[in-house]
Structure formats: C-alpha cells, structure tokens
Amino acid sequence: MSITSRFSPAADHPGIGLSGMIPDPRARAAAMLAGLGVSVWINATTLPADPGAVAPVALAVAALAWLVLIAGTLLTAGTRGAHVAAVTAVMCAAGAVLAVTDANGLIFTGVAASLAAVAFDPVAALMLSTAGPVAYCLAAIPHGPFPGRLLSTAAAALAGLVAGASRRETHQRARHSALVATERRRTELARAEAELAGERNRLGRELHDVLAHTLGALSIQLTAIDTLARTDAPREKLITQTELGHELVSTGLDEARHAVRALRGEATSPAAQLERLCELHQTELELDGSWQELDADTTLALYRLAQEALTNAARHAPGARVSVRTGFGPAAVTVQVSNSRPAPTPETPAALHASGGGFGLQGMRERVEQAGGDLQAGPTSDGGWRVVAHIPYRRGNPGNRSDGSDR
C-alpha cells in the first residue's frame, strides 16, 4: 500500500474530535474554534515566566495546525488525504514539544491522536500518533529532563487513539445500519414493484382470455347468422342462432364476473363453472371423487385450462368426441381434456381460428405452473389429443385433505 493510499481518510469519517458529532457544519466549525481558543488560552496562561523560544513556537504551530484542520473539515473528503495526515502529525508533535515545559500541551497531542483514529485506519492512526512521543524525546533530551513527561505524552496519544477509534466504530455502525435500512427499503420497493407488475400481467391475461374466448365465439356465431340470413334460411334457425349468440354474451359476462372474484381472492365453485362450460361446448363432464372447494386461483386456473383445451379441440378437431374429466385426489386436483380422432371435414372457417385464449399450450402450461402444478399434452394412441394438468392444493385450501383440516 502506498503512502498516499494509507493516509487517505475514509470518505465518511465524521469530523474532528467530539465536535464532529454536531450535524450542522457551521455549528461544528464554531465548536472547533471554541475548543481551539480554550486550548490556546490554557497553554498561554500556564507557560513559565521564561519558557524559551521553543515553547511559544510549538504553541503557535499547534494552534495553526488545529486551525488548518478546522478549515479542512469544511472541504470535501477528496481534497484531504496526505495533507490532513501531515497536519495531524505536526499538531501531535507540537503538543508534545510544548509538554516539555507545560503539561497542558498534551491537549493538542490527544486531540491530534483522536482525529487520526477517526479519520484513518488503525495502522495509519498509530503511525501518526507516534509523532508525539518521538518529538518529545527530540525536544526533551537537549532542553529538559529526560524521560520527564514521556510516559504522559504516550498516555495522552494512546487515550486520543482509543477515544477516536471508539467514535469511528460508533459512526461506522450507525452508517452500516443506515445502509442496511436503505437496502431493505430498496428490496421492499423492488418486491412491491414486482408484485404490482405481476398483478398487472395477471389482470391483462384474465381480461385477454375472457374477451378472446367470448368475442371469438361470438364472431363465429355472427358469421353463422350472416350466412343463414344471406341464404334465406328459415326464421326458426335465425332465432335459434340469435338466442345462442345471446347465451354467449351472457356466458362472457359470467366469466368476467368469475375472473373479478378470482382476482379479488374470492373462492368460487369449480363445479358450476365447468358444468356450464361443458354444456356450452356440448361436452361430457366426468368426476372422480366428490367436488371440493378450491381457492380462487386454482379454480380460475382449472377453468381457463379446460376452456382453452375445449376451444383448441373445437378448432383443430371439429366433430370429434371430447370429454372433460376432473379428479380430486388426496394432495392435488386433476383435470383432463381429451378428444378422439377428428372426422374428415372441410377447412375450418377463418373466424374459428380467432377464438380461444390466444396462448395455446404454452399459455396453459405457464398458468398451471404459476399455480404450482404441471401439465402434459400430446397425441393419444387412437389419433386424438389429451391435455392433463395436476395442481396441488394450497395451504389452508379446504380441498387439501393432507393438511389435517378435515380432522
């Protein structure tokens, strides 16, 4: 590590001495100036009658160094570094030189050591603080008794280091707590945004499915009515097809209401929905076991799966026999939609290709996986097609007989 990097103060160090605890920069500067004034006054009034030339010079140097450090706290951390280290060492040494004739000079040594411990890492702070005892030795040997106040000088430097290190630790803990709180808040915001985005996607998917299925089927029905009208079909057929169109609209409104209830988390009966869906598609509905009440998300997933599978069967296998089987097991509910080999028919009308949920097998698989289940789809041995989905009961689901709720 280079000298410059070693004596680069932390960008978040809290300032000089106890005054660094004051948040307002102007009040902090005033407190530091007051501390400087008191220290200079104490040392000036206690100097001996004939201190010699060294003591006044040392006092002036220490006071000037303190003043420079006060000015430095008003600058950004990037403008400090080795300059602050040098001024701190000078202040620590000047205080020790002053202590040769006046013990009050150790105030400067202690404050400088404290600043070093606050602003720099422990090794750098210790190196800077040794300037005090070294300067004392160099000044005391030729000008005064030795060792004299050497032990006191070392003790003052050590006390300053301990006080500064304690304050640095307190500041770093507070800063760490603030950073942790900030990161936690960011995580919560990110989670909330993700949940909001997921909810928006869910709303969009449900709205698309309802509209695509209902409007697609209604488009086919309107095409049939238009064909009957253009071919002068009997009035009874037109009335029948018109009534069927009204039924499709009513079914679409019911689906929209069911979707809204599911999005609100309101449980609905899967039996009535599947029975009406199968009746609309003129499909057989078989049940393994007894109907169980399911949560809203599971009910909606089962309904959308059956709806998409029935629509695909009508589109790709017109005239084929289609069946829907629902089973309630001990840990999961299963729905199976299968159709036999389609009979040879003319090309499917273009309007029929526009019906359905619009997501196909991929959309069904994603919906089932979001509910925690799995889906298999593929051809059967007789040339037909089968879609099977297993969705486990959720915790607290009345249909879950494995969680002890039926005991």
Side-chain angles (χ1 to χ4, degrees), residues 286-290 325-329 332-336 393:
E286 303 177 18
L287 175 66
D288 291 337
S290 58
R325 179 187 297 270
T326 304
F328 292 88
V333 58
T334 302
V335 62
Q336 173 182 302
Y393 300 120

mmCIF file with all atom_site columns, all heavy atoms in Angstrom, residues 286-290 325-329 332-336 393:
data_model
loop_
_atom_site.group_PDB
_atom_site.id
_atom_site.type_symbol
_atom_site.label_atom_id
_atom_site.label_alt_id
_atom_site.label_comp_id
_atom_site.label_asym_id
_atom_site.label_entity_id
_atom_site.label_seq_id
_atom_site.pdbx_PDB_ins_code
_atom_site.Cartn_x
_atom_site.Cartn_y
_atom_site.Cartn_z
_atom_site.occupancy
_atom_site.B_iso_or_equiv
_atom_site.pdbx_formal_charge
_atom_site.auth_seq_id
_atom_site.auth_comp_id
_atom_site.auth_asym_id
_atom_site.auth_atom_id
_atom_site.pdbx_PDB_model_num
ATOM 1   N N   . GLU A 1 286 ? -66.927 -35.646 -16.600 1.00 0.00 ? 286 GLU A N   1
ATOM 2   C CA  . GLU A 1 286 ? -66.840 -36.772 -15.679 1.00 0.00 ? 286 GLU A CA  1
ATOM 3   C C   . GLU A 1 286 ? -66.123 -36.317 -14.409 1.00 0.00 ? 286 GLU A C   1
ATOM 4   O O   . GLU A 1 286 ? -65.244 -35.458 -14.448 1.00 0.00 ? 286 GLU A O   1
ATOM 5   C CB  . GLU A 1 286 ? -66.088 -37.935 -16.320 1.00 0.00 ? 286 GLU A CB  1
ATOM 6   C CG  . GLU A 1 286 ? -66.704 -38.415 -17.636 1.00 0.00 ? 286 GLU A CG  1
ATOM 7   C CD  . GLU A 1 286 ? -65.893 -39.514 -18.275 1.00 0.00 ? 286 GLU A CD  1
ATOM 8   O OE1 . GLU A 1 286 ? -65.074 -40.128 -17.557 1.00 0.00 ? 286 GLU A OE1 1
ATOM 9   O OE2 . GLU A 1 286 ? -66.064 -39.753 -19.488 1.00 0.00 ? 286 GLU A OE2 1
ATOM 10  N N   . LEU A 1 287 ? -66.502 -36.945 -13.295 1.00 0.00 ? 287 LEU A N   1
ATOM 11  C CA  . LEU A 1 287 ? -65.937 -36.571 -11.996 1.00 0.00 ? 287 LEU A CA  1
ATOM 12  C C   . LEU A 1 287 ? -65.417 -37.798 -11.277 1.00 0.00 ? 287 LEU A C   1
ATOM 13  O O   . LEU A 1 287 ? -66.128 -38.806 -11.161 1.00 0.00 ? 287 LEU A O   1
ATOM 14  C CB  . LEU A 1 287 ? -67.000 -35.873 -11.135 1.00 0.00 ? 287 LEU A CB  1
ATOM 15  C CG  . LEU A 1 287 ? -66.583 -35.536 -9.704  1.00 0.00 ? 287 LEU A CG  1
ATOM 16  C CD1 . LEU A 1 287 ? -65.489 -34.485 -9.702  1.00 0.00 ? 287 LEU A CD1 1
ATOM 17  C CD2 . LEU A 1 287 ? -67.791 -35.057 -8.901  1.00 0.00 ? 287 LEU A CD2 1
ATOM 18  N N   . ASP A 1 288 ? -64.185 -37.730 -10.815 1.00 0.00 ? 288 ASP A N   1
ATOM 19  C CA  . ASP A 1 288 ? -63.589 -38.765 -9.967  1.00 0.00 ? 288 ASP A CA  1
ATOM 20  C C   . ASP A 1 288 ? -63.544 -38.226 -8.544  1.00 0.00 ? 288 ASP A C   1
ATOM 21  O O   . ASP A 1 288 ? -62.835 -37.260 -8.266  1.00 0.00 ? 288 ASP A O   1
ATOM 22  C CB  . ASP A 1 288 ? -62.175 -39.122 -10.440 1.00 0.00 ? 288 ASP A CB  1
ATOM 23  C CG  . ASP A 1 288 ? -62.203 -39.852 -11.779 1.00 0.00 ? 288 ASP A CG  1
ATOM 24  O OD1 . ASP A 1 288 ? -63.246 -40.438 -12.108 1.00 0.00 ? 288 ASP A OD1 1
ATOM 25  O OD2 . ASP A 1 288 ? -61.182 -39.814 -12.498 1.00 0.00 ? 288 ASP A OD2 1
ATOM 26  N N   . GLY A 1 289 ? -64.282 -38.851 -7.662  1.00 0.00 ? 289 GLY A N   1
ATOM 27  C CA  . GLY A 1 289 ? -64.352 -38.357 -6.293  1.00 0.00 ? 289 GLY A CA  1
ATOM 28  C C   . GLY A 1 289 ? -65.485 -37.360 -6.146  1.00 0.00 ? 289 GLY A C   1
ATOM 29  O O   . GLY A 1 289 ? -66.372 -37.250 -7.003  1.00 0.00 ? 289 GLY A O   1
ATOM 30  N N   . SER A 1 290 ? -65.462 -36.625 -5.071  1.00 0.00 ? 290 SER A N   1
ATOM 31  C CA  . SER A 1 290 ? -66.508 -35.635 -4.802  1.00 0.00 ? 290 SER A CA  1
ATOM 32  C C   . SER A 1 290 ? -65.946 -34.234 -4.977  1.00 0.00 ? 290 SER A C   1
ATOM 33  O O   . SER A 1 290 ? -64.756 -33.996 -4.783  1.00 0.00 ? 290 SER A O   1
ATOM 34  C CB  . SER A 1 290 ? -67.039 -35.802 -3.372  1.00 0.00 ? 290 SER A CB  1
ATOM 35  O OG  . SER A 1 290 ? -65.990 -35.675 -2.433  1.00 0.00 ? 290 SER A OG  1
ATOM 36  N N   . ARG A 1 325 ? -62.555 -34.633 -17.738 1.00 0.00 ? 325 ARG A N   1
ATOM 37  C CA  . ARG A 1 325 ? -62.560 -35.436 -16.510 1.00 0.00 ? 325 ARG A CA  1
ATOM 38  C C   . ARG A 1 325 ? -61.844 -34.642 -15.418 1.00 0.00 ? 325 ARG A C   1
ATOM 39  O O   . ARG A 1 325 ? -60.729 -34.155 -15.611 1.00 0.00 ? 325 ARG A O   1
ATOM 40  C CB  . ARG A 1 325 ? -61.850 -36.764 -16.732 1.00 0.00 ? 325 ARG A CB  1
ATOM 41  C CG  . ARG A 1 325 ? -61.803 -37.659 -15.481 1.00 0.00 ? 325 ARG A CG  1
ATOM 42  C CD  . ARG A 1 325 ? -60.936 -38.877 -15.743 1.00 0.00 ? 325 ARG A CD  1
ATOM 43  N NE  . ARG A 1 325 ? -61.496 -39.696 -16.793 1.00 0.00 ? 325 ARG A NE  1
ATOM 44  C CZ  . ARG A 1 325 ? -62.379 -40.697 -16.587 1.00 0.00 ? 325 ARG A CZ  1
ATOM 45  N NH1 . ARG A 1 325 ? -62.777 -40.970 -15.351 1.00 0.00 ? 325 ARG A NH1 1
ATOM 46  N NH2 . ARG A 1 325 ? -62.830 -41.409 -17.598 1.00 0.00 ? 325 ARG A NH2 1
ATOM 47  N N   . THR A 1 326 ? -62.499 -34.522 -14.282 1.00 0.00 ? 326 THR A N   1
ATOM 48  C CA  . THR A 1 326 ? -61.932 -33.813 -13.130 1.00 0.00 ? 326 THR A CA  1
ATOM 49  C C   . THR A 1 326 ? -61.853 -34.768 -11.956 1.00 0.00 ? 326 THR A C   1
ATOM 50  O O   . THR A 1 326 ? -62.839 -35.452 -11.638 1.00 0.00 ? 326 THR A O   1
ATOM 51  C CB  . THR A 1 326 ? -62.787 -32.593 -12.750 1.00 0.00 ? 326 THR A CB  1
ATOM 52  O OG1 . THR A 1 326 ? -62.917 -31.745 -13.882 1.00 0.00 ? 326 THR A OG1 1
ATOM 53  C CG2 . THR A 1 326 ? -62.144 -31.815 -11.611 1.00 0.00 ? 326 THR A CG2 1
ATOM 54  N N   . GLY A 1 327 ? -60.687 -34.825 -11.321 1.00 0.00 ? 327 GLY A N   1
ATOM 55  C CA  . GLY A 1 327 ? -60.498 -35.713 -10.182 1.00 0.00 ? 327 GLY A CA  1
ATOM 56  C C   . GLY A 1 327 ? -59.883 -34.984 -9.000  1.00 0.00 ? 327 GLY A C   1
ATOM 57  O O   . GLY A 1 327 ? -58.983 -34.165 -9.169  1.00 0.00 ? 327 GLY A O   1
ATOM 58  N N   . PHE A 1 328 ? -60.378 -35.279 -7.812  1.00 0.00 ? 328 PHE A N   1
ATOM 59  C CA  . PHE A 1 328 ? -59.868 -34.682 -6.575  1.00 0.00 ? 328 PHE A CA  1
ATOM 60  C C   . PHE A 1 328 ? -59.154 -35.763 -5.775  1.00 0.00 ? 328 PHE A C   1
ATOM 61  O O   . PHE A 1 328 ? -59.775 -36.649 -5.192  1.00 0.00 ? 328 PHE A O   1
ATOM 62  C CB  . PHE A 1 328 ? -61.012 -34.078 -5.761  1.00 0.00 ? 328 PHE A CB  1
ATOM 63  C CG  . PHE A 1 328 ? -61.643 -32.880 -6.414  1.00 0.00 ? 328 PHE A CG  1
ATOM 64  C CD1 . PHE A 1 328 ? -62.685 -33.033 -7.313  1.00 0.00 ? 328 PHE A CD1 1
ATOM 65  C CD2 . PHE A 1 328 ? -61.175 -31.607 -6.134  1.00 0.00 ? 328 PHE A CD2 1
ATOM 66  C CE1 . PHE A 1 328 ? -63.253 -31.934 -7.928  1.00 0.00 ? 328 PHE A CE1 1
ATOM 67  C CE2 . PHE A 1 328 ? -61.746 -30.499 -6.740  1.00 0.00 ? 328 PHE A CE2 1
ATOM 68  C CZ  . PHE A 1 328 ? -62.792 -30.665 -7.648  1.00 0.00 ? 328 PHE A CZ  1
ATOM 69  N N   . GLY A 1 329 ? -57.826 -35.696 -5.795  1.00 0.00 ? 329 GLY A N   1
ATOM 70  C CA  . GLY A 1 329 ? -57.028 -36.660 -5.072  1.00 0.00 ? 329 GLY A CA  1
ATOM 71  C C   . GLY A 1 329 ? -56.708 -36.193 -3.668  1.00 0.00 ? 329 GLY A C   1
ATOM 72  O O   . GLY A 1 329 ? -57.187 -35.149 -3.214  1.00 0.00 ? 329 GLY A O   1
ATOM 73  N N   . ALA A 1 332 ? -53.847 -33.280 -4.679  1.00 0.00 ? 332 ALA A N   1
ATOM 74  C CA  . ALA A 1 332 ? -53.924 -32.421 -5.859  1.00 0.00 ? 332 ALA A CA  1
ATOM 75  C C   . ALA A 1 332 ? -55.232 -32.658 -6.587  1.00 0.00 ? 332 ALA A C   1
ATOM 76  O O   . ALA A 1 332 ? -55.877 -33.701 -6.430  1.00 0.00 ? 332 ALA A O   1
ATOM 77  C CB  . ALA A 1 332 ? -52.741 -32.684 -6.795  1.00 0.00 ? 332 ALA A CB  1
ATOM 78  N N   . VAL A 1 333 ? -55.611 -31.684 -7.371  1.00 0.00 ? 333 VAL A N   1
ATOM 79  C CA  . VAL A 1 333 ? -56.777 -31.803 -8.241  1.00 0.00 ? 333 VAL A CA  1
ATOM 80  C C   . VAL A 1 333 ? -56.257 -31.974 -9.663  1.00 0.00 ? 333 VAL A C   1
ATOM 81  O O   . VAL A 1 333 ? -55.258 -31.381 -10.060 1.00 0.00 ? 333 VAL A O   1
ATOM 82  C CB  . VAL A 1 333 ? -57.684 -30.556 -8.135  1.00 0.00 ? 333 VAL A CB  1
ATOM 83  C CG1 . VAL A 1 333 ? -56.935 -29.286 -8.494  1.00 0.00 ? 333 VAL A CG1 1
ATOM 84  C CG2 . VAL A 1 333 ? -58.907 -30.714 -9.033  1.00 0.00 ? 333 VAL A CG2 1
ATOM 85  N N   . THR A 1 334 ? -56.926 -32.831 -10.425 1.00 0.00 ? 334 THR A N   1
ATOM 86  C CA  . THR A 1 334 ? -56.504 -33.147 -11.792 1.00 0.00 ? 334 THR A CA  1
ATOM 87  C C   . THR A 1 334 ? -57.633 -32.848 -12.757 1.00 0.00 ? 334 THR A C   1
ATOM 88  O O   . THR A 1 334 ? -58.800 -33.162 -12.477 1.00 0.00 ? 334 THR A O   1
ATOM 89  C CB  . THR A 1 334 ? -56.111 -34.630 -11.911 1.00 0.00 ? 334 THR A CB  1
ATOM 90  O OG1 . THR A 1 334 ? -55.063 -34.915 -10.982 1.00 0.00 ? 334 THR A OG1 1
ATOM 91  C CG2 . THR A 1 334 ? -55.641 -34.951 -13.319 1.00 0.00 ? 334 THR A CG2 1
ATOM 92  N N   . VAL A 1 335 ? -57.306 -32.238 -13.864 1.00 0.00 ? 335 VAL A N   1
ATOM 93  C CA  . VAL A 1 335 ? -58.277 -32.022 -14.931 1.00 0.00 ? 335 VAL A CA  1
ATOM 94  C C   . VAL A 1 335 ? -57.688 -32.557 -16.227 1.00 0.00 ? 335 VAL A C   1
ATOM 95  O O   . VAL A 1 335 ? -56.510 -32.345 -16.521 1.00 0.00 ? 335 VAL A O   1
ATOM 96  C CB  . VAL A 1 335 ? -58.657 -30.525 -15.069 1.00 0.00 ? 335 VAL A CB  1
ATOM 97  C CG1 . VAL A 1 335 ? -57.450 -29.689 -15.437 1.00 0.00 ? 335 VAL A CG1 1
ATOM 98  C CG2 . VAL A 1 335 ? -59.767 -30.353 -16.094 1.00 0.00 ? 335 VAL A CG2 1
ATOM 99  N N   . GLN A 1 336 ? -58.505 -33.297 -16.968 1.00 0.00 ? 336 GLN A N   1
ATOM 100 C CA  . GLN A 1 336 ? -58.060 -33.913 -18.225 1.00 0.00 ? 336 GLN A CA  1
ATOM 101 C C   . GLN A 1 336 ? -59.081 -33.607 -19.304 1.00 0.00 ? 336 GLN A C   1
ATOM 102 O O   . GLN A 1 336 ? -60.284 -33.841 -19.130 1.00 0.00 ? 336 GLN A O   1
ATOM 103 C CB  . GLN A 1 336 ? -57.902 -35.423 -18.044 1.00 0.00 ? 336 GLN A CB  1
ATOM 104 C CG  . GLN A 1 336 ? -57.611 -36.178 -19.345 1.00 0.00 ? 336 GLN A CG  1
ATOM 105 C CD  . GLN A 1 336 ? -57.518 -37.669 -19.139 1.00 0.00 ? 336 GLN A CD  1
ATOM 106 O OE1 . GLN A 1 336 ? -56.704 -38.150 -18.353 1.00 0.00 ? 336 GLN A OE1 1
ATOM 107 N NE2 . GLN A 1 336 ? -58.350 -38.425 -19.840 1.00 0.00 ? 336 GLN A NE2 1
ATOM 108 N N   . TYR A 1 393 ? -53.118 -28.859 -3.899  1.00 0.00 ? 393 TYR A N   1
ATOM 109 C CA  . TYR A 1 393 ? -53.903 -27.996 -3.021  1.00 0.00 ? 393 TYR A CA  1
ATOM 110 C C   . TYR A 1 393 ? -52.967 -27.027 -2.300  1.00 0.00 ? 393 TYR A C   1
ATOM 111 O O   . TYR A 1 393 ? -51.844 -27.381 -1.947  1.00 0.00 ? 393 TYR A O   1
ATOM 112 C CB  . TYR A 1 393 ? -54.668 -28.815 -1.981  1.00 0.00 ? 393 TYR A CB  1
ATOM 113 C CG  . TYR A 1 393 ? -55.646 -29.805 -2.578  1.00 0.00 ? 393 TYR A CG  1
ATOM 114 C CD1 . TYR A 1 393 ? -55.512 -31.158 -2.323  1.00 0.00 ? 393 TYR A CD1 1
ATOM 115 C CD2 . TYR A 1 393 ? -56.675 -29.373 -3.396  1.00 0.00 ? 393 TYR A CD2 1
ATOM 116 C CE1 . TYR A 1 393 ? -56.412 -32.076 -2.860  1.00 0.00 ? 393 TYR A CE1 1
ATOM 117 C CE2 . TYR A 1 393 ? -57.577 -30.275 -3.935  1.00 0.00 ? 393 TYR A CE2 1
ATOM 118 C CZ  . TYR A 1 393 ? -57.437 -31.635 -3.672  1.00 0.00 ? 393 TYR A CZ  1
ATOM 119 O OH  . TYR A 1 393 ? -58.316 -32.519 -4.213  1.00 0.00 ? 393 TYR A OH  1
#
